[in-house]
Amino acid sequence: MDVRSMRNAVLGARVVNALKSRNMDAYYVETKEEAVAKALELMPKGSTISWGGTMSVAEAGLMDAIRNGDYMLYDRDQTETAKEREEMMHQAFFADFFLGSTNAVSEDGVLVNIDGVANRVAAYAYGPKNVLLIVGMNKVVKTQRMLCTGQEMRRRRSMRSGFRKRRRVFRAEPVLTVRNRDVSVLRS
């Protein structure tokens, strides 16, 4: 086991415990294949599923597994008109599972979400019976405050460039999306 894997395992366990303390089911897995397997284990065959256009779910391979499985998928990307797309996004609120990710999760279990059309944030806060989030370890930050003040973005930028540049940083207000029956899967 390399240093990164050890760090992710320790940090993942800390975040899982923090999410559980906020009444969410959470699991840590090491690979995207394990994340897909865990997600499929949590979703019974025949479930209706929708998603919020998340790249984390698609890149993990979960969307392909669902399309090839015994599930009813409300897929807004398969619509032909804007009106059909909007209707599909409304149907997502009645699905058994809503798949998504989060923009960031703090080590103390706070989810931060910023959304263009608010379909994801609305579904996370109120909507489908179950919300399943696939969250990469790259989205874990020390504190919610660091992300909201831009400290985390500046820190990551300075690590990439090797020196600090003065730039204006986008400051966003977080939306706390915690529900009693949320399910989260963290992957490295």
Side-chain angles (χ1 to χ4, degrees):
M1 184 179 268
D2 66 349
V3 175
R4 180 179 293 242
S5 297
M6 290 188 296
R7 173 224 178 245
N8 285 345
V10 171
L11 183 57
R14 185 179 313 143
V15 174
V16 164
N17 287 333
L19 291 169
K20 286 181 177 182
S21 76
R22 294 178 184 274
N23 297 319
M24 290 183 268
D25 294 333
Y27 308 88
Y28 172 78
V29 295
E30 290 188 25
T31 66
K32 65 182 178 181
E33 292 81 16
E34 290 177 76
V36 170
K38 186 64 178 176
L40 293 174
E41 175 187 320
L42 294 168
M43 297 182 299
K45 299 251 188 239
S47 297
T48 55
I49 299 171
S50 187
W51 67 308
T54 170
M55 292 305 297
S56 296
V57 171
E59 288 175 2
L62 183 54
M63 289 307 299
D64 292 334
I66 289 168
R67 286 185 180 114
N68 296 327
D70 295 329
Y71 301 98
M72 168 60 184
L73 179 63
Y74 296 127
D75 192 351
R76 67 187 192 173
D77 292 340
Q78 301 300 317
T79 60
E80 295 181 15
T81 67
K83 182 175 173 106
E84 287 176 357
R85 182 179 175 90
E86 184 177 339
E87 288 174 10
M88 186 71 69
M89 290 190 329
H90 282 102
Q91 289 177 350
F93 286 100
F94 302 103
D96 296 321
F97 286 87
F98 188 86
L99 306 178
S101 192
T102 189
N103 295 95
V105 58
S106 67
E107 289 183 24
D108 60 348
V110 174
L111 303 175
V112 177
N113 293 291
I114 302 166
D115 198 353
V117 294
N119 68 313
R120 288 183 309 130
V121 172
Y124 294 175
Y126 178 84
K129 297 172 191 160
N130 299 285
V131 174
L132 195 146
L133 305 176
I134 303 292
V135 182
M137 291 303 293
N138 61 315
K139 295 186 177 183
V140 176
V141 297
K142 188 75 174 162
T143 65
Q144 174 190 3
R145 186 169 182 84
M146 281 181 72
L147 181 71
C148 296
T149 60
Q151 290 176 0
E152 181 67 11
M153 291 167 56
R154 285 192 294 272
R155 184 185 69 79
R156 288 182 185 192
R157 188 179 303 126
S158 68
M159 287 172 54
R160 278 195 314 260
S161 65
F163 60 92
R164 291 186 179 240
K165 295 181 182 178
R166 289 193 165 249
R167 292 186 187 164
R168 185 173 183 152
V169 177
F170 176 74
R171 294 177 190 246
E173 289 299 317
V175 177
L176 180 62
T177 58
V178 176
R179 282 193 7 224
N180 192 28
R181 297 182 47 86
D182 284 351
V183 178
S184 301
V185 178
L186 300 174
R187 68 173 175 84
S188 55

